[in-house]
Amino acid sequence: MQFHCEQGRRRWHCLRWWRQPEQPLFEDCLFRDSRCGDGGVGGVTIPETVQGSPTWKNCQFIGSRCPYGGTVDDGNESNNKFIDCYFEDSEAMSGGFYYGFSKGNTSFVNCEFKNSYADNGGIAYMSTNSNSTFVDCTVTNATAMDGGAIVHEDSGASTWIRTTIDKVKASSYGGAATVSYDAKMYMEDVTITDFQAISGGAVWIDGNAEVTVKNLDLKNGYANRGGAFTIFSKPKVTVDDLTTSNVSAENGGGFYLSPAFLDDGEVTITNSKIADCDARKGGGMHAVSYTHLRAHETREDRGCRLVREK
């Protein structure tokens, strides 16, 4: 089954449904060059309800363009499932491939994302109560102004399991991800390589966000502040079994914890190794002002150091 969607004036394109058909299955489909007009949402599809939540198996989405969700806009209470799907060459203002909004809950299993751009969230943008899961996926060559791979805002959330993220870049914050306001992100058994940003080479965290990472491997990254992580305001951050290699910054080769980090913010780092780090201040960590940091069974490689300023 193949779909070729020409550019039109409508705000959505290709596929949209509410209640019928119920929970459709799309298998071995090809969607190529899908477009939507100014202010549009979902270059290929906009499922709107639980009843209309589709499953996509072995489908390809290539060359999609749309302001909100270059390929998919997931709104209201839909629960998309993408299994063994391939996404390539997508652009958006927010969410290069995927835009999550309202109570959308979408899972990507064994999917590949390649060559995407967005102003916010190179592959995905999570907003207002939306939740997405990426399991056994690969991301390659994603670029954005904020959140090279993904942006979390408001109360958006995501989970990443056994996923590889490679060649991601943000011209501002979060080479791989930004997590702000009341958003949440969980990563386990994830590898991020060749990442870059002005602040937060891999991850930028702000507001009341909650971030938990387990067995995270960071290789070959750079930022002006926080080669691996930059943390502002008062989030709750838990890091367990982190390994960094060849990660550098002007300030905080591994971590940069900012002056806005207030009394009720907390960072806990356990069983981690910050290695091959380089920075003008704090090769391993630059902690500023009232930073509440707990580090257990964590070591910094030779030449790395922690700088704490008041």
Side-chain angles (χ1 to χ4, degrees), residues 41-42 45-48 67-80 82 92-108 120-121 123-134 149-158 183:
V41 292
T45 177
I46 318 171
E48 292 285 339
Y68 296 93
T71 301
V72 181
D73 179 277
D74 184 5
N76 293 330
E77 297 180 355
S78 59
N79 296 306
N80 286 283
F82 292 88
M93 183 172 68
S94 294
F97 291 112
Y98 171 73
Y99 186 94
F101 180 76
S102 189
K103 297 180 181 179
N105 192 336
T106 289
S107 61
F108 300 88
N120 299 286
I123 69 164
Y125 183 98
M126 307 304 303
S127 181
T128 314
N129 297 321
S130 59
N131 196 342
S132 63
T133 303
F134 300 81
I150 187 167
V151 163
H152 308 74
E153 290 192 348
D154 300 322
S155 51
S158 73

Side-chain angles (χ1 to χ4, degrees), residues 73 85 131 173 183 188 306:
D73 179 277
C85 290
N131 196 342
Y173 303 132
E188 185 171 354
L306 183 146

Side-chain angles (χ1 to χ4, degrees), residues 2-15:
Q2 297 190 23
F3 296 81
H4 182 90
C5 304
E6 299 291 345
Q7 184 169 358
R9 295 182 179 179
R10 292 179 291 181
R11 294 182 65 248
W12 48 270
H13 230 294
C14 261
L15 297 171

Side-chain angles (χ1 to χ4, degrees), residues 111-182:
C111 292
E112 182 177 357
F113 302 87
K114 187 176 181 180
N115 301 336
S116 60
Y117 173 81
D119 291 346
N120 299 286
I123 69 164
Y125 183 98
M126 307 304 303
S127 181
T128 314
N129 297 321
S130 59
N131 196 342
S132 63
T133 303
F134 300 81
V135 179
D136 296 319
C137 293
T138 60
V139 176
T140 306
N141 196 25
T143 305
M145 288 196 298
D146 290 331
I150 187 167
V151 163
H152 308 74
E153 290 192 348
D154 300 322
S155 51
S158 73
T159 298
W160 302 74
I161 306 292
R162 297 187 301 275
T163 291
T164 299
I165 301 172
D166 182 44
K167 296 180 178 63
V168 286
K169 180 180 179 180
S171 58
S172 186
Y173 303 132
T178 67
V179 193
S180 58
Y181 300 101
D182 296 312

Side-chain angles (χ1 to χ4, degrees), residues 180-198:
S180 58
Y181 300 101
D182 296 312
K184 297 180 181 180
M185 183 179 73
Y186 180 90
M187 285 185 168
E188 185 171 354
D189 300 329
V190 171
T191 297
I192 305 176
T193 55
D194 293 334
F195 49 90
Q196 183 178 340
I198 297 298

